[in-house]
Amino acid sequence: MRTFVIGDIHGGLLALEQVLERAAVTTDDKLIFLGDYVDGWSQSPQVIDKLIGLQQQQNCICIRGNHDDLVLQWLKDGKDNEQWYDHGGEATVLAYEELTRTHKDIHVLFLESLEDYHLDAENRLFVHAGFSNMNGVEYEYFSKTFYWDRTLWETALALDPSMHISDKLYPKRLTLYPEVYIGHTPVSRINETVPVQKANVWNVDTAAAFKGPLTIMNVDTKQIWQSDPVYKLYPEERGRN
């Protein structure tokens, strides 16, 4: 069995199907999705349908992203906001016009079932954004931190790579887990198009919502497979660009 981690999809079903095919994923493989399945490209409902299907076929863990939480609130309560609408929400609202209320309710159940984080048998952490508690995710006071935080990634980026983990100034959060896998903050912000490791943190958000590809990575070998740049798969759309 292989274990794969998949970065932020943002409604790009065609990209998801590409990476699953290119990595030759089978039902024997474990899949860990880092969240943000919606908001951006036009197939957010179809992405969720795909994930529901995968969960029925194999070991498939789906983590909650901030965009998933925003869509959940909108589906349940009609809760909308201009900022969300301008950051990919518009495409989601339009896409859901085609779904029946029953179909939407199935998606609500899926979105409510998403996990805040996942720890595997090797104590590797998978979380959408990060955490703030210096003792680890199990002690986190504010659950929204798991899918909104950027300080974990910013800390890893700013860390002097020559500092040893035993140094008393070494950030404690970066000592708790052998590896941490996140999405949320596209690596395109540091001019990268592939997953980036800083300290023990692997950022797998390769900007599929913008001009980048979607990435799937084997967490044991670190081999990656990528889709075409997602905007090329949806040439009539703007995504979050």
Side-chain angles (χ1 to χ4, degrees):
M1 183 185 73
R2 298 175 296 174
T3 299
F4 293 104
V5 61
I6 301 96
D8 303 29
I9 302 168
H10 284 291
L13 176 68
L14 298 178
L16 175 57
E17 291 177 336
Q18 275 192 343
V19 295
L20 294 175
E21 180 180 357
R22 290 174 181 180
V25 170
T26 74
T27 54
D28 293 326
D29 296 320
K30 178 179 180 180
L31 300 175
I32 304 174
F33 291 91
L34 291 176
D36 276 6
Y37 313 116
V38 298
D39 294 352
W41 307 105
S42 62
Q43 293 190 288
S44 289
Q46 291 88 341
V47 168
I48 292 180
D49 285 338
K50 179 73 173 182
L51 295 176
I52 292 171
L54 288 171
Q55 285 184 327
Q56 294 169 347
Q57 298 170 13
Q58 64 195 98
N59 189 350
C60 178
I61 294 168
C62 294
I63 292 168
R64 178 179 291 102
N66 57 306
H67 285 268
D68 310 314
D69 188 59
L70 290 167
V71 170
L72 173 61
Q73 297 309 314
W74 173 72
L75 285 173
K76 288 178 63 176
D77 309 322
K79 185 177 180 180
D80 198 354
N81 65 72
E82 185 176 343
Q83 187 177 21
W84 168 64
Y85 200 80
D86 290 339
H87 287 273
E90 178 182 9
T92 300
V93 170
L94 293 173
Y96 268 97
E97 289 179 353
E98 305 300 321
L99 270 66
T100 65
R101 184 67 250 179
T102 299
H103 199 165
K104 291 176 183 177
D105 288 341
I106 293 171
H107 286 197
V108 167
L109 292 175
F110 169 80
L111 292 166
E112 289 178 331
S113 75
L114 298 177
E115 300 182 27
D116 283 337
Y117 62 86
H118 174 68
L119 285 169
D120 70 7
E122 287 75 40
N123 202 39
R124 295 178 294 198
L125 173 65
F126 301 82
V127 64
H128 178 66
F131 62 99
S132 62
N133 194 293
M134 292 177 63
N135 294 311
V137 292
E138 294 170 306
Y139 300 91
E140 186 61 64
Y141 292 107
F142 307 104
S143 60
K144 287 189 176 183
T145 301
F146 295 126
Y147 44 94
W148 281 104
D149 176 72
R150 295 194 197 276
T151 64
L152 182 77
W153 178 237
E154 289 176 337
T155 300
L157 279 177
L159 184 67
D160 183 345
S162 68
M163 183 181 291
H164 193 267
I165 193 172
S166 63
D167 192 297
K168 64 180 181 180
L169 296 179
Y170 200 93
K172 185 178 179 182
R173 280 187 298 169
L174 301 181
T175 69
L176 301 174
Y177 307 102
E179 294 176 343
V180 180
Y181 292 87
I182 65 169
H184 190 49
T185 305
V187 296
S188 57
R189 294 189 180 185
I190 54 172
N191 298 318
E192 295 287 351
T193 58
V194 297
V196 174
Q197 180 189 13
K198 294 294 182 180
N200 64 332
V201 181
W202 281 91
N203 188 333
V204 193
D205 181 358
T206 49
F210 301 98
K211 295 289 187 179
L214 178 65
T215 296
I216 185 171
M217 182 166 75
N218 184 316
V219 299
D220 295 310
T221 67
K222 305 301 185 284
Q223 184 177 2
I224 69 167
W225 296 262
Q226 294 186 301
S227 71
D228 296 347
V230 184
Y231 75 97
K232 294 186 177 181
L233 301 175
Y234 296 90
E236 304 301 319
E237 302 177 22
R238 63 182 178 86
R240 296 184 62 201
N241 295 296

